[in-house]
Amino acid sequence: MSDTDTAWIETALTSARPQAVGALLRYFRDLDTAEEAFQNACLRALKTWPQNGPPRDPAAWLIMVGRNVAIDEVRRTRKQQPLPEDDQAISDLDDAEGALAERLDGSHYRDDILRLMFICCHPQLPATQQIALALRIVSGLTVKQIARAFLVSDAAMEQRITRAKAKVAEAGTPFETPGAIERSERLAGVAAMIYLIFNEGYSASGDTAEIRKPLCEEAIRLARLLLRLFQSEPEIMGLTALILLQHARSAARFAADGSLILLDDQDRSLWNRTMIAEGLALIDKAMRHRRSGPYQIQAAIAALHARAATPEETDWTQIDLLYGALEVVQPSPVVTLNRAVAVSKVRGPQAALDLIEPLAPKLANYFHFYGVRGAFLMQLGRNDEARVAFDRAIALANTSAEAAHIRMHIDRLIRDSQPKGANGGARQGAKAK
Amino acid sequence: MLYAILCYHDEDFVGSWSKDQDEAVMKKLAVVQEKLTQQGRLGPVARLLPTTAAATLRKEDPPLVLDGPYAETKEQLLGFYIVDCKNLDEALDVARDLGAANPGGAYEVRPVGVFRPGGISA
């Protein structure tokens, strides 16, 4: 068996996983049993697929085999009955698998996967546990991979996932087919979980960006999966468009030394055009429904940035309006802060500063507030006040890249406050930092 | 005689390719395409974006726009157009005009991700 054959099987197992684990969960009503059954089915697949060729429907095959193996397991432990021979158990599988594939109708498939995702984003779990559980159960990443992405030890991640599973089991799982209202609530929860996974990967700093990139890619994969199941949901289109458009810029977001590159300074030729094309197509389609929501609005903003060939061509007036709409559907000081950036481009730094001053008490511990405030003050020539804001921002920075970025602003302030040409040495010193 | 080769595959499967796997496949395909290009036998090549980006126009009266890909297996693929449009609405307008000229059946409108015009004439 060549490497490409193994790669093929692994891809098939990954793509069948959500459906297979979802169906096994419906059958066994227990997360651990379902997961174990799927693992066993995968082991069989690795053994038999290279010899017999790929089955007609890999997911159906895995569900069938996983179910048989788990039932045998139960029989063995309960009655000590002799196990049927391996080959016997799956001898007629070709026909049975075809029949099962036909019975796996679209609606079950949809609810199985949605239920699986929904269990992971259980409201009683803290966000970090939701994400970890989803990556383990739905995506099938190993504990080691997840631990690496979250920059914690394997043991800590193992514990986090075990705890999450216990809490889910304790809370009980709704297995009945959800009604229309419940489904839309679940869907919103699942969408939020995918958004969290993406943000976890996206907010990485330069030195960890490569490690956390798989989180973004996994979020995109899950969003696409959800969209295939719910093809007419504009908010799911919006979510998928949003994360595609954001991720398309990832190659341009960090300098070689790991420092953050702002949108205006990014090399736009590094943006992934195929990803942008898909994102734009999706937001285009979502807008046609005229049922806007927070994901769609954010995606529309990202789309305006993606459409601009140069920073100067950015349609800031439209972005200001869209942030205004976002303030209505999802009011938050952070949204207003983002809007202020658009306002500064359209109506100048003073208008922007006026907009964010009332936010100070709410955002007293928010890195970006002081960064943005400092930038506006600097544009107004109020350099001393800007300096104070930047110092505060550095104290609140979450990553070394954020801190380095603010330090660059401060260096510029120092440089500008020097009498021209008087102190070249100090200028160089500041730059070298 | 010109022949159209229509590409079908399981989207779940193709969507699970990593970037490297995807690039490897495209590279292998490019080798085949290159040979045909040199022989002057290759026409346009297009890779469509995922079906999630698709909308379908049923050519009823009035025409009905639906989300998602075309899924009526009783009808067959008879041909295709490549049109340059600003957005989905514009593309659907073109499909509507075509539908008025030739009622019945449906058009699937899917954005094109990769397009190479090729060099043959019919």
Side-chain angles (χ1 to χ4, degrees):
Chain A
M1 187 171 56
S2 74
D3 281 355
T4 34
D5 288 341
T6 336
W8 185 90
I9 291 175
E10 269 164 27
T11 308
L13 296 178
T14 314
S15 84
R17 183 182 173 103
Q19 186 186 2
V21 177
L24 289 166
L25 176 70
R26 169 160 48 87
Y27 190 73
F28 292 112
R29 307 207 160 200
D30 177 70
L31 213 45
D32 283 327
T33 315
E35 227 197 330
E36 207 173 303
F38 180 76
Q39 293 300 344
N40 284 324
C42 286
L43 290 177
R44 297 271 178 114
L46 285 170
K47 228 163 63 187
T48 54
W49 290 5
Q51 289 162 22
N52 304 351
R56 225 182 318 172
D57 184 336
W61 192 98
L62 291 163
I63 294 166
M64 168 88 76
V65 172
R67 204 145 70 178
N68 286 346
V69 174
I71 291 169
D72 286 344
E73 197 80 9
V74 172
R75 269 200 211 123
R76 185 173 52 179
T77 46
R78 275 206 197 132
K79 298 182 194 160
Q80 267 88 42
Q81 275 186 356
L83 260 182
E85 286 296 309
D86 268 11
D87 294 304
Q88 209 181 318
I90 40 178
S91 61
D92 294 332
L93 208 60
D94 272 352
D95 289 348
E97 168 219 321
L100 180 65
E102 260 157 46
R103 283 205 308 278
L104 287 170
D105 65 318
S107 60
H108 249 145
Y109 170 48
R110 236 163 62 149
D111 286 333
D112 282 347
I113 294 182
L114 187 58
R115 182 185 297 115
L116 190 64
M117 288 178 155
F118 180 70
I119 283 174
C120 299
C121 58
H122 204 284
Q124 283 177 22
L125 296 177
T128 50
Q129 284 186 21
Q130 290 183 13
I131 303 172
L133 199 59
L135 291 173
R136 178 73 206 97
I137 303 291
V138 188
S139 304
L141 300 191
T142 63
V143 171
K144 201 175 175 158
Q145 285 171 314
I146 306 171
R148 203 170 121 83
F150 277 86
L151 314 170
V152 300
S153 71
D154 290 6
M157 187 46 76
E158 181 80 63
Q159 204 177 25
R160 195 184 288 180
I161 292 171
T162 311
R163 256 193 232 135
K165 275 191 193 166
K167 212 163 197 175
V168 164
E170 199 182 297
T173 308
F175 278 96
E176 75 294 350
T177 304
I181 294 172
E182 209 190 351
R183 177 178 287 151
S184 79
E185 278 170 7
R186 285 189 191 186
L187 199 54
V190 170
M193 183 260 297
I194 293 174
Y195 186 66
L196 283 177
I197 292 179
F198 182 81
N199 277 341
E200 195 63 39
Y202 188 77
S203 58
S205 62
D207 30 325
T208 52
E210 275 311 305
I211 299 175
R212 292 183 148 206
K213 213 168 108 197
L215 288 185
C216 294
E217 281 162 7
E218 195 50 38
I220 290 172
R221 209 170 71 83
L222 293 176
R224 282 194 181 126
L225 172 68
L226 198 60
L227 186 57
R228 271 203 296 284
L229 301 176
F230 299 91
Q231 301 217 343
S232 302
E233 288 296 332
E235 271 295 84
I236 305 300
M237 292 176 211
L239 170 69
T240 315
L242 172 63
I243 61 183
L244 281 166
L245 291 168
Q246 300 283 43
H247 194 55
R249 298 198 287 254
S250 63
R253 287 180 64 219
F254 297 103
D257 64 353
S259 62
L260 206 61
I261 304 177
L262 287 191
L263 197 54
D264 275 5
D265 306 326
Q266 286 175 12
D267 176 358
R268 293 182 183 222
S269 69
L270 293 176
W271 290 1
N272 183 324
R273 290 291 145 191
T274 316
M275 235 179 243
I276 289 177
E278 189 183 345
L280 293 178
L282 283 173
I283 187 62
D284 225 22
K285 196 170 133 176
M287 290 304 199
R288 227 170 34 80
H289 286 258
R290 313 216 172 283
R291 267 169 43 213
S292 79
Y295 294 128
Q296 285 173 76
I297 299 172
Q298 290 175 72
I301 293 168
L304 286 172
H305 286 303
R307 283 199 161 106
T310 62
E312 293 71 34
E313 285 168 59
T314 311
D315 187 349
W316 287 106
T317 312
Q318 197 62 30
I319 291 175
D320 178 20
L321 288 172
L322 284 166
Y323 271 120
L326 194 56
E327 276 181 317
V328 174
V329 291
Q330 203 178 52
S332 121
V334 174
V335 171
T336 309
L337 186 65
N338 285 326
R339 186 179 160 204
V341 176
V343 167
S344 79
K345 304 271 186 185
V346 181
R347 280 173 275 157
Q350 187 59 54
L353 199 60
D354 292 345
L355 187 66
I356 66 163
E357 285 307 346
L359 306 175
K362 279 182 200 145
L363 297 178
N365 293 310
Y366 191 60
F367 161 79
H368 291 286
F369 175 74
Y370 294 98
V372 168
R373 187 166 190 271
F376 293 156
L377 288 166
M378 202 166 82
Q379 285 170 38
L380 289 167
R382 289 156 66 177
N383 287 358
D384 291 343
E385 290 167 87
R387 177 82 202 256
V388 174
F390 285 143
D391 281 343
R392 181 91 185 107
I394 284 190
L396 294 168
N398 298 307
T399 65
S400 51
E402 284 179 354
H405 183 77
I406 297 294
R407 223 164 273 133
M408 195 184 76
H409 276 304
I410 295 180
D411 288 349
R412 200 179 296 165
L413 281 180
I414 295 172
R415 208 160 62 216
D416 291 349
S417 58
Q418 306 282 344
K420 265 193 187 142
N423 200 341
R427 190 182 305 174
Q428 267 176 4
K431 242 186 184 168
K433 256 184 213 170
Chain B
M1 189 80 200
L2 295 181
Y3 289 91
I5 298 174
L6 308 170
C7 318
Y8 289 92
H9 204 325
D10 181 350
E11 208 165 54
D12 280 338
F13 183 74
V14 175
S16 292
W17 284 346
S18 68
K19 201 170 149 246
D20 292 346
Q21 279 174 302
D22 195 283
E23 278 165 6
V25 171
M26 295 307 274
K27 223 166 150 183
K28 279 195 244 169
L29 291 174
V31 174
V32 181
Q33 291 166 9
E34 181 55 33
K35 204 171 104 193
L36 290 165
T37 307
Q38 278 172 6
Q39 295 167 348
R41 293 165 57 207
L42 190 69
V45 174
R47 184 182 190 179
L48 302 182
L49 291 182
T51 53
T52 47
T56 299
L57 182 96
R58 298 252 21 135
K59 294 193 266 173
E60 287 158 11
D61 189 25
L64 183 64
V65 178
L66 301 162
D67 279 318
Y70 173 71
E72 180 59 78
T73 47
K74 271 183 287 181
E75 289 160 346
Q76 282 79 36
L77 179 72
L78 301 183
F80 62 89
Y81 297 85
I82 302 278
V83 286
D84 183 12
C85 296
K86 268 211 307 286
N87 54 36
L88 181 67
D89 281 331
E90 213 177 277
L92 285 169
D93 283 342
V94 174
R96 272 190 200 96
D97 290 346
L98 291 169
N102 176 20
Y107 290 122
E108 180 180 319
V109 180
R110 277 265 288 281
V112 175
V114 174
F115 182 73
R116 298 192 186 95
I120 56 169
S121 53

